[in-house]
């Protein structure tokens, strides 16, 4: 009998809680698919770094569980409140509190188990999709097929049901503790507590703005300090200011709305403003905390997601900047035979080129980078020089046109990120003193030829071939400024392009070709002479494939986990908003019924419902947008040397787009269901 | 006096072929401008159904209702809301005020729905509140005032837009006798001083005694009709009780 009653109740409730149900099911699906990835051998075999993936996933699962617990707890509390009258009636009819708690437990277990089963079903597909995405990232073929890991199911079940049962336990306790009176009259309890102290709220509102703006300004200053490698002591206070600001903002915004729309009669009486704002202000007032938490969460997703993307972009850009060619080798002697043999044996060579980089006394260009993160080059005391022939060959390899130079002209090729700085410098003093000759700077190029300490440090000077001979004769070159110079004034380079990208094993093999030299070093420590041998590598080998694979693993881990967390965050919070609106729709139905009786058009009513829900969903977004964007920009300044501002803006766009998509789906679902509830005949 | 409302042979059926309930079974009557007409009857006599049909909340099964010679049973679904807000004023038994709005805003609400200019709204709201003696509580919320004050607010809302006719459904039903009397005096004033035409459904003889004319319904038909004329209210009240006694067994329903 009791079981029947429970199942029937669970069914009847389903309508209002369908969004909750779907969210829980999708969360289970996500949890299951990520656990499946964690235990999948296909994936851990891809790269050494991915082996750690499962550790991260277990760690993240803790965060996910906390969010889920929050969502489930909140929803159950809501269900309890909504049905307090029903449970009160049961109690008056003589049902034991224990029995009522049992009914509630049973119902929720039915919902939970159902959501779990559906979630696992969905998760099987989701796992396939995620796996094929990862496989694709690593250029591995993958056959989509049904695989099912019992270990993953087990893990997911443990995570999910422990959360679920703990929350249920809490609800049971609550049911057993409440009195019949409270159950019967719970509905009256949370009645309106509409703003009373408008002036106080206005002060709070202004204070919140000051706190938030102040927090941002301080954070901005601290980032400057971090960039300058100074200690940033106020970053934590700045964050605290922001958080307090957010809470106060939502407390104060009510008064702002009231002041703006309700104290001014001509505004208030315009169209249907009054009804909407009153609905809204009465809501916000009672739900400040939920909304602030929601807003903080969104802010976290927004900033966190942006940082993750920034970080990934930075890694990617670094590879692109460092590796215009698949293989980069540098040596003090011109004998590359061992390398060439190995490369030809193990890879298909498309292009191979040998050349030299010369070093000359500092011409002063380094001063152009004084204000950038690359300012340390100024202390190197030398500049890198490439001959025009070599430069044009490199340009050809990366697919750019040849350039030409007069005998008294040079060109500077820089990294894209510092091109502007060098241009600025060249505008001020457009000639360089090289080997006692005055050379005119013809222009600044930003062709990517690998200038992260390979072909020059961030920039290189391209000179006519005739000048190279003169440079070689130069006596004053600071030859031993750097180990690499080894007294010659130039260094040998070999770049190779292959048909296909190479692997981590290829890199290990190539490294073995390096000449290693043992050298005796004598040092004086505490007045005693100590002599020891070190292994010196005169040569340097870098392979794009190996670096890419590592970065890609990082990228996969970071972005998948960020995506996983953010998705569940957004879904959980959007679900909360949906549940609040839907379970209140009865109250709203009464209000909208009155409006209809008084003669408001159905079209207008529908428009108002849309506006109301839109407002409700939009309000928690105000802060994440107004704080999220500036903070992302501020944080991005720490990595701006590696990526451009356009990329930062694009990232914000991506994060925001995904966010709006998921959030929008919840919004539309809520609107449709709300509208149905209002339309429903009594 | 001109005829404002004409109810012509209306019928309202519920149920299916085999089991028909006639809630209204051929009712006809006319209401003249400026009248305060009461409709009495026991529960189930069809009085609320009749009111709902006139209010365009419910449809008739047959017959016609004319307001100012316009047949309101023929109004299209999409025009009903407009008709209602321009022509009718409502007073409900349970006030139907919005908790989130202040008393003032509740009155102004109907004017905003009618898209009256903002300046007008303020003026009209305060004017009507003064007339109905609720100007002191304008800034309070419904849950902060008494039932009688709430119903006066509802009355203000019903009349502020100067509707052709005010429909009142058991307006004193949820009030104590003192508040009920106060409200009825106000409605009488609305009728006499502000020239409002009021149609009130009630089963309370005291309330009915404030009307100028009363229709008695029984089983969906008009059972009797009395007019107050120049009579004292006390005398009219006794007359009502007499008719109710005639209504038979149903008097038990009457206080």
């Amino acid at each position: 009998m009791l079981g029947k009653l429970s199942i029937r109740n669970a069914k009847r409730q389903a309508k209002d809680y369908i969004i909750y149900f779907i969210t829980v099911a999708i969360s289970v699906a996500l949890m299951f698919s990520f656990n499946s990835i964690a235990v999948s051998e296909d994936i851990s075999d891809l790269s050494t770094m991915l082996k750690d993936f499962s550790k991260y996933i277990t760690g993240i699962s803790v965060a996910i569980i906390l969010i889920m617990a929050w969502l489930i707890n909140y929803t159950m509390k809501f269900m309890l409140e909504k049905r307090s009258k029903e449970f009160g009636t049961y109690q008056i009819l003589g049902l034991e509190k224990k029995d009522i708690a049992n009914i509630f437990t049973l119902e929720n277990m039915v919902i939970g188990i159902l959501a779990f089963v559906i979630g696992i079903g969905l998760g099987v597909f989701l796992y396939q999709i995620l796996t094929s995405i990862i496989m694709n990232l690593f250029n591995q073929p993958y056959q989509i097929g049904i695989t099912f890991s019992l270990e993953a199911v087990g893990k997911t079940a443990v995570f999910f049901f422990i959360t679920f049962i703990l929350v249920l336990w809490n609800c049971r306790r609550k049911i057993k503790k409440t009195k019949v009176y409270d159950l019967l009259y719970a509905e009256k309890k949370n009645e309106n507590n509409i703003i009373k102290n408008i002036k106080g709220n206005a002060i709070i509102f202004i204070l919140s703005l000051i706190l938030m703006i102040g927090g941002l300004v301080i954070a901005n200053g601290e980032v400057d300090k971090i960039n300058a490698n100074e200690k940033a002591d106020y970053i934590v206070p700045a964050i605290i200011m922001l958080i307090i600001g957010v809470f106060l903002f939502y407390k104060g915004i009510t008064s702002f709305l009231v002041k703006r729309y309700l104290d001014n009669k001509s505004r208030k009486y315009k169209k249907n403003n009054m009804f909407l704002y009153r609905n809204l202000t009465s809501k916000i007032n009672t739900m400040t905390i939920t909304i602030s938490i929601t807003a903080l969460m969104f802010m976290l997703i927004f900033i966190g997601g942006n940082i993750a993307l920034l970080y990934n972009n930075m890694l990617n850009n670094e590879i692109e900047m460092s590796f215009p060619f698949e293989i980069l080798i540098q040596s003090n002697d011109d004998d590359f035979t061992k390398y060439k043999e190995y490369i030809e044996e193990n890879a298909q060579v498309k292009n191979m080129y040998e050349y030299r980089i010369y070093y000359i006394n500092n011409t002063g260009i380094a001063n152009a980078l004084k204000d950038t993160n690359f300012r340390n080059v100024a202390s190197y005391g030398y500049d890198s020089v490439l001959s025009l022939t070599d430069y044009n060959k490199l340009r050809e390899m990366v697919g750019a046109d040849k350039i030409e130079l007069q005998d008294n002209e040079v060109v500077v090729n820089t990294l894209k990120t510092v091109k502007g700085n060098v241009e600025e410098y060249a505008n001020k003093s457009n000639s360089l003193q090289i080997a006692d000759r005055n050379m005119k700077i013809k222009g600044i190029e930003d062709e990517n030829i690998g200038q992260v300490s390979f072909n020059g440090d961030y920039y290189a000077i391209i000179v006519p071939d005739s000048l190279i001979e003169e440079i070689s004769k130069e006596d004053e070159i600071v030859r031993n400024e750097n180990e690499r110079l080894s007294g010659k004034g130039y260094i040998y380079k070999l770049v190779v392009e292959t048909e296909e990208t190479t692997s981590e094993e290829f890199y290990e093999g190539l490294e073995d070709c390096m000449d290693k030299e043992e050298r005796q070093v004598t040092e004086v420590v505490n007045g005693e002479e100590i002599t020891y041998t070190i292994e010196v590598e005169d040569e340097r080998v870098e392979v794009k494939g190996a670096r890419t694979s590592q970065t890609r693993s990082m990228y996969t881990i970071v972005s998948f986990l960020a995506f996983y967390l953010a998705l569940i965050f957004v879904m959980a919070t959007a679900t909360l908003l949906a549940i609040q609106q839907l379970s209140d729709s009865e109250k709203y139905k009464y209000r909208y019924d009155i409006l209809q009786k008084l003669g408001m058009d159905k079209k207008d009513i529908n428009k108002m419902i849309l506006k109301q829900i839109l407002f409700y969903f939009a309000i928690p977004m105000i802060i994440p947008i107004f704080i999220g964007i500036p903070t992302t920009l501020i944080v991005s300044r720490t990595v701006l040397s590696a990526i451009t501002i356009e990329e930062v803006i694009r990232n914000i766009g991506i994060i925001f787009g995904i966010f709006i998509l998921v959030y929008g789906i919840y919004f539309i679902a809520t609107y449709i269901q709300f509208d149905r509830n209002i339309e429903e005949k009594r | 006096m001109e005829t404002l409302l004409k109810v012509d042979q209306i019928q309202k059926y519920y149920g299916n072929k085999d089991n028909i309930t006639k809630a209204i079974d051929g009712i006809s009557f006319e209401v003249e401008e400026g009248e305060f007409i009461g409709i009495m009857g026991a529960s189930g006599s069809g009085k609320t159904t009749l009111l709902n049909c006139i209010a365009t909340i419910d449809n008739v099964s047959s017959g016609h209702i004319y307001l100012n010679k316009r047949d309101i049973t023929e109004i299209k679904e999409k025009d009903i809301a407009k008709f209602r807000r321009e022509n009718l004023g409502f007073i409900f038994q349970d006030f139907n005020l919005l908790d989130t709005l202040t008393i003032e805003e509740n009155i102004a609400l109907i004017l905003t729905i009618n898209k009256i200019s903002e300046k007008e709204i303020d003026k009209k709201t305060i004017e009507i509140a003064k007339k109905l003696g609720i100007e002191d509580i304008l800034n309070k919320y419904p849950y902060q005032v008494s039932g009688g004050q709430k119903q006066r607010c509802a009355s203000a809302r019903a009349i502020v837009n100067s509707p052709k006719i005010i429909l009142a459904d058991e307006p004193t039903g949820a009030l104590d006798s003192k508040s009920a009397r106060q409200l009825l005096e106000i409605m009488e004033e609305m009728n006499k001083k502000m020239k409002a035409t009021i149609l009130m459904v009630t089963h309370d003889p005291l309330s009915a005694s404030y009307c100028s004319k009363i229709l008695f319904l029984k089983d969906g038909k008009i059972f009797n009709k009395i007019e107050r004329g120049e009579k004292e209210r006390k005398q009219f009240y006794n007359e009502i009780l007499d008719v109710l006694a005639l209504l038979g067994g149903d008097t038990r329903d009457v206080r």
Side-chain angles (χ1 to χ4, degrees):
Chain A
M1 181 56 210
L2 221 55
K4 230 192 223 168
L5 196 62
S6 283
I7 288 169
R8 205 180 301 152
N9 281 335
K11 253 196 224 159
R12 208 182 41 209
Q13 276 188 70
K15 202 181 60 192
D16 275 353
Y17 297 103
I18 188 108
I19 291 179
Y20 159 74
F21 181 79
I22 291 172
T23 304
V24 172
I26 293 177
S27 305
V28 171
L30 279 170
M31 228 195 262
F32 171 65
S33 54
F34 274 85
N35 280 325
S36 298
I37 289 174
V39 300
S40 158
E41 274 169 16
D42 280 353
I43 287 171
S44 59
D45 283 350
L46 279 178
S47 149
T48 39
M49 266 179 129
L50 280 180
K51 290 202 169 68
D52 293 333
F53 203 21
S54 79
K55 255 191 273 166
Y56 292 117
I57 285 179
T58 316
I60 283 250
S61 292
V62 176
I64 300 286
I65 282 173
L66 287 177
I67 299 167
M68 293 272 285
W70 180 55
L71 173 69
I72 296 172
N73 186 37
Y74 196 95
T75 313
M76 283 191 187
K77 228 176 67 199
F78 240 85
M79 288 178 173
L80 262 185
E81 251 167 53
K82 281 235 61 171
R83 300 178 60 195
S84 56
K85 218 169 198 171
E86 181 190 335
F87 289 153
T89 313
Y90 287 160
Q91 232 170 303
I92 281 181
L93 291 176
L95 230 60
E96 299 271 333
K97 274 182 186 169
K98 210 180 76 197
D99 294 332
I100 293 172
N102 281 343
I103 292 181
F104 190 74
T105 311
L106 206 62
E107 272 170 41
N108 277 294
M109 281 316 281
V110 171
I111 295 176
I113 291 170
L114 216 62
F116 182 79
V117 172
I118 291 174
I120 294 289
L122 277 175
V124 172
F125 289 103
L126 197 60
Y127 167 65
Q128 298 299 323
I129 295 168
L130 291 177
T131 309
S132 63
I133 292 174
I134 295 177
M135 289 299 194
N136 224 333
L137 276 175
F138 284 87
N139 294 321
Q140 298 286 323
Y142 179 65
Q143 202 72 42
I144 288 197
I146 301 297
T147 44
F148 193 77
S149 151
L150 271 180
E151 192 187 336
V153 176
K155 260 187 175 172
T156 314
V158 169
F159 286 153
F160 179 71
F161 284 106
I162 285 180
T163 320
F164 205 78
I165 287 166
L166 278 179
V167 175
L168 256 179
W169 191 258
N170 188 29
C171 279
R172 281 184 71 103
R173 233 194 44 213
K174 229 178 254 163
I175 292 174
K176 285 185 186 167
K177 261 169 62 185
T178 39
K179 298 188 193 101
V180 200
Y181 179 89
D182 292 334
L183 282 177
L184 286 173
Y185 296 102
E187 254 171 72
K188 286 189 179 161
K189 247 185 176 171
N190 52 2
E191 258 317 303
N192 301 301
N193 139 42
I194 300 169
I195 347 90
K196 280 178 192 126
N197 186 356
I198 288 180
K199 231 181 215 162
N201 276 332
I203 293 169
I204 286 175
F205 184 57
I206 293 165
L207 191 69
S208 79
L209 289 182
I210 294 172
L211 275 175
M212 286 192 288
I213 293 169
L216 283 178
V217 170
I218 293 177
N220 196 31
E222 295 303 295
V223 169
D224 277 336
K225 281 192 197 160
I226 291 172
N227 275 351
N229 287 325
E230 285 167 36
K231 245 175 104 188
D233 293 326
Y234 296 108
I235 203 92
V236 174
I239 291 169
I240 292 171
M241 272 170 84
L242 278 176
I243 291 175
I244 295 173
V246 170
F247 270 94
L248 292 184
F249 176 82
Y250 284 105
K251 222 174 148 33
I253 195 176
T254 331
S255 79
F256 177 74
L257 283 178
V258 171
K259 269 238 159 324
R260 178 128 174 69
Y261 288 97
L262 295 175
D263 271 10
N264 177 335
K265 280 189 176 156
S266 65
R267 266 209 199 97
K268 168 158 84 172
Y269 292 149
K270 207 170 255 169
K271 288 183 188 160
N272 300 317
N273 280 352
M274 185 171 69
F275 179 76
L276 265 180
Y277 286 109
R278 280 294 193 206
N279 264 355
L280 217 64
T281 48
S282 71
K283 275 269 115 143
I284 291 178
N285 211 33
T286 48
M287 299 198 182
T288 313
I289 290 176
T290 322
I291 286 185
S292 319
I293 290 175
T294 312
L296 277 178
M297 276 219 182
F298 287 165
M299 209 164 97
L300 217 69
I301 298 169
F302 202 63
I303 297 173
N306 264 320
I307 292 174
L309 266 189
L310 277 175
Y311 184 63
N312 283 332
N313 269 1
M314 200 181 75
L315 287 177
N316 258 353
N317 281 358
E318 218 175 75
I319 290 186
E320 284 312 312
M321 281 195 307
S322 313
F323 292 94
F325 315 107
E326 185 66 35
I327 302 164
L328 308 173
I329 302 172
Q330 145 183 322
S331 170
N332 282 338
D333 58 64
D334 59 354
D335 182 20
F336 286 114
T337 341
K338 265 202 304 194
Y339 294 112
K340 283 180 180 169
E341 274 170 12
Y342 178 83
I343 293 168
E344 266 155 13
E345 215 170 279
N346 293 291
Q348 270 186 297
V349 177
K350 199 159 115 194
N351 250 324
M352 200 184 270
Y353 190 62
E354 259 177 77
Y355 60 98
R356 296 173 184 181
I357 291 265
Y358 297 84
Y359 296 98
I360 59 168
N361 279 326
N362 186 351
T363 57
I365 297 182
N367 292 331
L369 308 183
K370 234 173 20 206
D371 295 328
T372 68
N373 278 5
F374 306 118
R375 65 180 76 88
N376 52 342
V377 282
S379 64
Y380 287 180
Y382 61 83
D383 278 332
S384 312
V385 171
L386 259 170
S387 77
L388 182 64
T389 318
D390 291 341
Y391 177 64
N392 275 333
K393 178 70 190 173
L394 292 179
R395 277 178 76 96
E396 194 190 319
M397 282 171 80
V398 296
D401 293 336
K402 285 187 173 184
I403 61 157
E404 278 173 26
L405 285 179
Q406 302 290 327
D407 270 354
N408 64 339
E409 284 177 340
V410 295
V411 154
V412 182
N413 194 84
T414 75
L415 277 185
K416 272 197 179 66
T417 41
V418 295
K419 190 186 181 192
N421 301 73
V422 177
E423 259 169 356
E424 212 175 286
Y425 176 83
N427 282 342
K428 276 187 223 147
S429 55
N430 77 343
S431 66
L432 294 176
Q433 206 64 34
I434 301 174
D436 285 337
R437 272 172 60 183
N438 207 13
M439 305 296 284
K440 194 170 153 274
I441 300 177
K442 187 189 175 198
I444 315 296
E445 296 283 326
D446 62 356
E447 214 51 62
N448 180 12
I449 54 168
Q451 291 185 300
V452 180
S453 66
F454 190 76
N455 287 329
D457 297 295
Y458 319 126
Y459 64 90
I461 303 166
I462 318 302
V463 303
D465 292 5
S466 58
L467 195 65
I468 290 290
E469 271 171 55
E470 284 175 51
I471 288 175
S472 307
K473 283 187 221 138
E474 266 287 313
D475 287 334
E476 290 171 48
I477 298 168
V478 194
R479 294 207 158 132
N480 276 316
E481 189 70 29
N482 189 301
E483 283 283 317
R484 292 188 295 183
L485 303 189
S486 66
K488 263 188 229 140
Y490 56 81
I491 202 158
Y492 298 93
K493 304 264 174 176
L494 172 70
V495 292
V496 184
E497 269 199 294
T498 56
E499 295 290 345
E500 276 168 11
T501 147
T502 52
S503 63
E504 282 178 79
E505 289 95 54
F506 177 86
Y507 173 62
E508 280 157 21
L510 198 61
E511 250 189 334
D512 291 340
C513 303
M514 277 202 277
D515 276 339
K516 286 183 182 114
E517 197 182 298
E518 288 190 352
R519 203 182 281 172
Q520 299 265 312
V521 182
T522 316
E523 237 180 292
V524 184
V525 182
N526 297 337
E528 269 184 68
E529 256 186 37
I530 298 169
T531 309
Y532 52 93
T533 45
I534 52 165
E535 209 171 63
V536 178
E537 291 167 3
D538 276 339
E539 292 160 9
R540 214 171 105 213
V541 175
E542 304 236 33
V543 173
K544 188 179 184 180
R547 275 284 284 281
T548 321
S549 156
Q550 284 170 359
T551 318
R552 209 176 270 148
S553 308
M554 272 307 278
Y555 178 82
T556 313
I557 292 172
V558 171
S559 55
F560 270 66
L561 293 185
F563 162 80
Y564 179 29
L565 253 178
L567 200 60
I568 292 201
F569 257 62
V570 179
M571 289 198 318
T573 39
T575 306
L576 283 194
L577 290 175
I579 289 171
Q580 277 185 349
Q581 285 289 291
L582 289 178
S583 61
D584 264 358
S585 59
E586 219 163 280
K587 225 187 260 170
Y588 284 115
K589 183 177 163 49
Y590 170 76
R591 292 180 194 161
Y592 282 110
D593 271 350
I594 293 178
L595 289 184
Q596 209 176 344
K597 273 187 201 159
L598 291 178
M600 187 177 277
D601 284 320
K602 230 178 218 154
K603 222 172 56 196
D604 285 348
I605 290 181
N606 280 345
K607 229 190 272 169
M608 263 166 72
I609 293 173
L610 182 68
K611 261 194 200 165
Q612 183 191 325
I613 298 177
L614 192 67
F615 266 130
Y616 200 51
F617 270 73
I619 281 180
M621 300 270 293
I622 298 173
I623 286 300
I625 291 172
F626 283 103
I627 300 232
I629 291 177
T631 27
T632 310
L633 289 176
I634 290 171
V635 170
S636 73
R637 287 182 41 221
T638 56
V639 292
L640 259 193
S641 49
I643 68 176
T644 58
I645 193 80
E646 286 81 16
E647 281 172 303
V648 176
I649 291 168
R650 201 195 58 207
N651 285 346
I652 293 178
I654 291 174
I655 287 280
F656 204 61
I658 295 174
F659 184 88
I660 289 287
L661 182 77
V662 178
Y663 201 54
I665 291 171
Y666 274 87
F667 163 69
I668 292 168
T670 310
Y671 171 64
I672 292 173
Q673 187 58 40
F674 192 92
D675 210 43
R676 264 191 218 152
N677 287 359
I678 299 281
E679 291 272 308
E680 209 172 65
K681 287 249 158 68
R682 279 179 220 244
Chain B
M1 278 288 177
E2 243 177 77
T3 304
L4 178 72
L5 179 76
K6 187 177 169 202
V7 176
D8 184 17
Q9 280 300 325
I10 62 165
Q11 294 188 310
K12 176 74 188 176
Y13 304 145
Y14 289 115
N16 53 27
K17 256 187 214 162
D18 307 320
N19 182 19
I20 290 180
T21 313
K22 288 184 178 178
I24 299 176
D25 189 10
I27 288 181
S28 297
F29 67 93
E30 286 182 8
V31 179
E32 282 175 6
E33 228 170 83
E35 264 189 322
F36 187 175
I37 192 162
I39 294 174
M40 291 199 75
S43 323
S45 62
K47 55 188 193 313
T48 297
T49 311
L50 175 63
L51 188 86
N52 282 343
C53 287
I54 297 172
T56 66
I57 288 170
D58 208 343
N59 301 319
V60 295
S61 303
S62 75
H64 298 279
I65 300 169
Y66 301 95
L67 186 79
N68 260 358
K69 304 200 170 100
R70 181 177 180 193
D71 190 348
I72 66 174
T73 58
E74 303 270 287
I75 297 177
K76 287 195 191 87
E77 182 70 31
K78 68 175 177 40
D79 299 326
I80 276 190
K82 188 166 182 286
F83 168 80
R84 224 182 269 158
R85 66 173 178 252
E86 284 174 358
N87 296 291
L88 307 178
F90 291 97
I91 304 174
F92 303 95
Q93 178 175 358
D94 49 0
F95 322 123
N96 275 5
L97 296 178
L98 294 168
D99 289 343
T100 49
L101 304 186
T102 60
I103 297 294
E104 182 181 16
E105 289 163 355
N106 264 294
I107 301 171
L109 180 67
I110 185 79
L111 297 172
T112 66
I113 293 176
N114 272 292
K115 300 182 176 77
I116 307 275
S117 80
E118 294 90 50
K119 262 189 205 150
E120 273 301 275
I121 292 181
D122 194 30
K123 217 179 82 197
K124 281 192 171 184
T125 311
I126 290 172
E127 202 180 286
I128 198 72
K130 271 187 191 149
K131 280 187 185 159
L132 299 196
I134 47 175
E135 74 263 37
D136 296 338
I137 54 162
L138 279 181
N139 286 322
K140 293 201 164 160
Y141 290 94
Y143 62 88
Q144 294 170 319
V145 304
S146 72
Q149 285 169 322
K150 275 188 223 174
Q151 199 60 303
R152 263 186 274 165
C153 168
S155 309
R157 185 179 66 186
I159 198 173
V160 70
N161 194 35
S162 324
K164 302 237 163 55
I165 187 165
I166 294 172
L167 305 171
D169 186 6
E170 303 272 15
T172 57
L175 303 182
D176 61 90
S177 59
K178 187 173 164 244
S179 312
R181 250 175 233 270
Q182 271 177 356
L183 177 76
L184 288 162
E185 271 157 24
I186 275 171
M187 285 176 72
E188 204 175 25
E189 223 174 273
M190 281 159 56
N191 172 244
K192 292 210 167 115
K193 290 196 181 146
M194 300 180 224
K195 306 284 177 233
T197 312
I198 303 172
L199 189 144
M200 177 172 74
V201 161
T202 183
H203 63 228
D204 168 28
L206 177 81
S207 300
S209 68
Y210 282 84
C211 297
S212 55
K213 189 167 144 191
I214 299 169
L215 301 177
F216 292 87
L217 298 192
K218 191 183 181 186
D219 302 333
K221 288 179 184 151
I222 293 181
F223 172 78
N224 201 347
K225 197 191 294 186
I226 57 172
E227 279 189 50
R228 180 165 162 191
E230 296 301 312
K231 279 169 264 185
E232 278 291 304
R233 200 168 61 72
K234 187 87 184 154
Q235 196 185 341
F236 191 45
Y237 176 72
N238 288 330
E239 215 172 291
I240 295 167
L241 288 183
D242 290 342
V243 179
L244 287 178
L246 271 180
L247 271 170
D250 285 333
T251 36
R252 266 182 292 118
D253 275 352
V254 183
R255 267 184 268 168

